[in-house]
């Protein structure tokens, strides 16, 4: 049992770390002249191809037949997957305007957005613990996003794109835990990626300047697809059942310090002590919201 929990924590930690590295490497791709459309399209197309291969291998080597996906399951997953495409587009747009260390903080607003979404869907008023956690997240965000410094406020466009990314990511997490959960992870991810690919293709068509640098597919595209589209869903979905929802949620918040640290060491972004304090507050809120859940499992 303890070994399973350890494996679960390891899988979730690796998945979160993988996702946390993305924005830094997107920034590096931008520095080489690649556009948001080129980055997102290469990532999701290669990710779709990779996930199809994973699913084919899983299907061919499985010891028992896979659960059959109905037409309804497929349509629901594809529609739900559009939020994955929107998350990539919005998040990568945000880092064109603001530092990675701030963009990832905005993405972590899924903590309170998830509470509100749960309130709307279940029509159950959030507990005092969740309300306190939300207040801590918002307070930490003011510090971590440097919103308290009037003379150095982040670009408002970057803030808007970052919050939109958080909203769409919240939708992705909700749908990922509710729709066709009887299907294997690779199969569900494959159909959701189809929906995400549709969104990214539309974004590429709308923003297309008349040329496309296909070298992105052989440089950053492969890396971003593996660490941003293929590994995270496989690792997180494999890890959460073993670690438990509460402990898994706490460990998955590793993406925040990983992303900020990558930006600090690789991109040489300035992260003030107040921003680190804000990050610590956000992480403490995640622990507060999930620690009782862990003890009940």
């Amino acid at each position: 049992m303890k070994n399973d929990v350890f494996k679960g924590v390891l899988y979730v930690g690796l998945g979160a770390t993988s996702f946390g590295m993305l924005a830094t490497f997107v920034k590096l791709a931008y520095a080489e002249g690649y556009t948001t459309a080129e980055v997102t399209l290469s990532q999701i197309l290669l990710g779709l191809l990779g996930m199809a291969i994973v699913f084919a291998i899983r299907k061919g080597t499985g010891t028992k037949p896979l659960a059959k996906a109905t037409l309804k399951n497929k349509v629901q997953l594809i529609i739900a997957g559009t939020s994955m495409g929107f998350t990539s587009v919005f998040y990568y747009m945000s880092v064109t305007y603001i530092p990675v260390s701030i963009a990832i903080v905005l993405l972590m607003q899924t903590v309170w957005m998830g509470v509100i979404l749960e309130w709307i869907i279940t029509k159950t008023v959030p507990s005092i613990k969740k309300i306190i956690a939300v207040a801590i997240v918002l307070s930490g965000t003011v510090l971590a996003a440097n919103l308290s410094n009037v003379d150095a406020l982040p670009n408002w466009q970057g803030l808007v794109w970052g919050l939109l990314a958080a909203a769409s990511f919240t939708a992705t997490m909700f749908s990922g835990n509710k729709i066709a959960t009887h299907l294997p992870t690779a199969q569900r991810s494959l159909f959701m990626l189809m929906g995400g690919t549709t969104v990214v293709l539309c974004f590429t068509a709308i923003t297309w300047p008349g040329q496309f640098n296909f070298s992105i597919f052989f440089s950053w595209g492969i890396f971003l697809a593996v660490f941003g589209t293929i590994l995270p869903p496989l690792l997180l979905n494999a890890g959460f059942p073993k670690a438990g929802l509460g402990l898994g949620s706490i460990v998955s918040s590793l993406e925040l310090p990983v992303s900020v640290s990558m930006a600090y060491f690789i991109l040489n972004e300035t992260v003030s002590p107040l921003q680190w304090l804000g990050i610590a507050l956000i992480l403490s809120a995640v622990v507060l919201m999930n620690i009782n859940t862990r003890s009940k499992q």
Side-chain angles (χ1 to χ4, degrees):
M1 183 64 178
K2 288 184 178 179
N3 190 44
D4 283 343
V5 172
F6 174 77
K7 286 182 179 178
V9 168
L10 181 62
Y11 291 153
V12 172
L14 288 174
T17 299
S18 175
F19 192 78
M21 296 189 299
L22 281 186
T24 292
F25 291 104
V26 169
K27 276 279 195 182
L28 293 175
Y30 286 164
E32 293 182 8
Y34 294 112
T35 65
T36 301
E38 290 165 348
V39 169
T40 52
L41 185 62
S42 63
Q43 177 184 330
I44 205 156
L45 284 181
L46 291 173
L48 181 63
L49 175 62
M51 193 62 73
I53 294 173
V54 170
F55 174 61
I57 294 173
R58 169 72 176 82
K59 186 177 181 181
T61 59
T63 56
K64 59 181 180 180
L66 299 178
K68 185 175 179 58
T70 65
L71 178 60
K72 181 181 180 181
N73 292 152
K74 295 176 182 178
V75 172
Q76 287 179 328
L77 287 169
I78 290 172
I79 293 174
T82 58
S83 62
M84 295 175 64
F86 282 120
T87 300
S88 293
V89 170
F90 294 154
Y91 187 43
Y92 294 169
M93 283 296 294
S94 73
V95 298
T96 64
Y97 295 100
I98 57 179
V100 168
S101 55
I102 293 179
I104 187 63
V105 167
L106 295 175
L107 191 64
M108 288 297 292
Q109 302 312 296
T110 52
V111 175
W112 63 264
M113 289 183 180
V115 171
I116 292 178
L117 182 62
E118 184 182 41
W119 184 5
I120 293 172
I121 292 174
T122 64
K123 295 180 174 58
T124 303
V125 178
S127 64
I128 296 297
K129 181 184 71 173
K130 287 186 176 180
I131 293 174
I132 292 174
V134 167
I136 294 173
V137 167
L138 293 175
S139 300
T141 300
V142 171
L143 297 176
N146 213 24
L147 299 179
S148 58
N149 188 350
V150 180
D151 296 325
L153 288 176
N155 182 287
W156 69 269
Q157 291 173 285
L159 295 178
V160 171
W161 286 120
L163 290 174
L164 287 173
S168 57
F169 193 44
T170 301
T172 299
M173 291 193 298
F174 174 79
S175 58
N177 290 318
K178 298 292 183 182
I179 299 175
T181 54
H182 64 288
L183 298 176
T185 300
Q187 188 176 16
R188 295 173 67 244
S189 299
L190 180 60
F191 286 114
M192 290 185 74
L193 277 173
M194 291 179 184
T197 301
T198 302
V199 170
V200 173
L201 283 172
C202 291
F203 172 76
T204 303
I206 292 171
T207 61
W208 189 52
Q211 58 184 10
F212 190 96
N213 190 346
F214 287 94
S215 66
I216 184 71
F217 283 93
F218 308 102
S219 54
W220 294 107
I222 295 174
F223 182 90
L224 294 172
V226 171
F227 291 95
T229 306
I230 300 173
L231 287 181
L234 292 177
L235 288 169
L236 293 175
N237 281 289
F240 265 99
K242 297 179 183 296
L245 182 60
L247 180 57
S249 297
I250 293 171
V251 176
S252 68
S253 65
L254 272 173
E255 69 180 79
L256 176 56
V258 167
S259 187
V260 174
S261 297
M262 290 280 288
Y264 178 77
F265 289 110
I266 296 179
L267 300 177
N268 295 316
E269 289 188 2
T270 301
V271 184
S272 69
L274 276 180
Q275 286 179 280
W276 283 114
L277 175 60
I279 291 167
L281 286 174
I282 294 172
L283 293 175
S284 68
V286 174
V287 174
L288 174 63
M289 286 184 64
N290 292 284
I291 195 161
N292 284 344
T293 305
R294 178 189 173 188
S295 65
K296 292 177 182 179
Q297 291 173 341

